[in-house]
Amino acid sequence: MRYGQIRQYDIANGPGIRATVFVTGCSRHCVNCFNEEYQDFNAGSEWTAAETERLISYLQDDTNSGLTLLGGEPMENAEDLLELVQVVRRAVPEKSIWVYSGFLYEEILAQPARKALLEACDVLVDGPFVDALKDPGLYFRGSSNQRVIDVAKSREAGKAVLLWPDGR
């Protein structure tokens, strides 16, 4: 897996102060993507054990609320990210894990590796960014077509359950 950056402190991609990992590689190419440079599957650096150790140290900080996975496209790095999420869960089980994806919840469930990653996370922000639907007033998403989904409640209900039904 390749990544573009790791942030120790991020307040824009989930509640509280979070550590974030931006993977590289995305085939969706949303118009006006906020991370266009991370669409390239060869961009960034190779993930190693050193990055895992650094990330765990960030997450062990009491001020940290959890981990957020972004990109690029995390679901196009699902197998490698699942391994990382499993390590994180063992090290800091009390921290929440969010994942952003241009794929819809229903599309993710249809692909086994992506579904496994999703089920290891707490919250999914799904759907492609649509520039015409851009709304800076929304919680933790860029356009109004995107949803903030509670993964556990969705699994129980058998359908996507929104964390904030009105998006604000």
Side-chain angles (χ1 to χ4, degrees), residues 15 40 43 56 61 83 93 108 117:
D40 182 352
I56 295 297
D61 184 329
E83 289 179 29
I108 293 168
L117 174 59

Side-chain angles (χ1 to χ4, degrees), residues 1-3 11-12 20 32 34 43 77 84 114 119 122 126 132 136 143 165:
M1 172 177 79
R2 300 185 70 78
Y3 73 101
I11 59 168
T20 50
N32 291 326
F34 84 112
N77 291 275
L84 176 62
R114 292 175 183 170
E119 290 182 347
D122 300 298
D126 83 337
S143 58

Side-chain angles (χ1 to χ4, degrees), residues 141-156:
R141 58 197 178 120
S143 58
S144 61
N145 63 298
Q146 296 172 311
R147 303 177 292 179
V148 181
I149 297 171
D150 183 312
V151 175
K153 287 182 180 177
S154 297
R155 188 180 318 110
E156 290 171 14

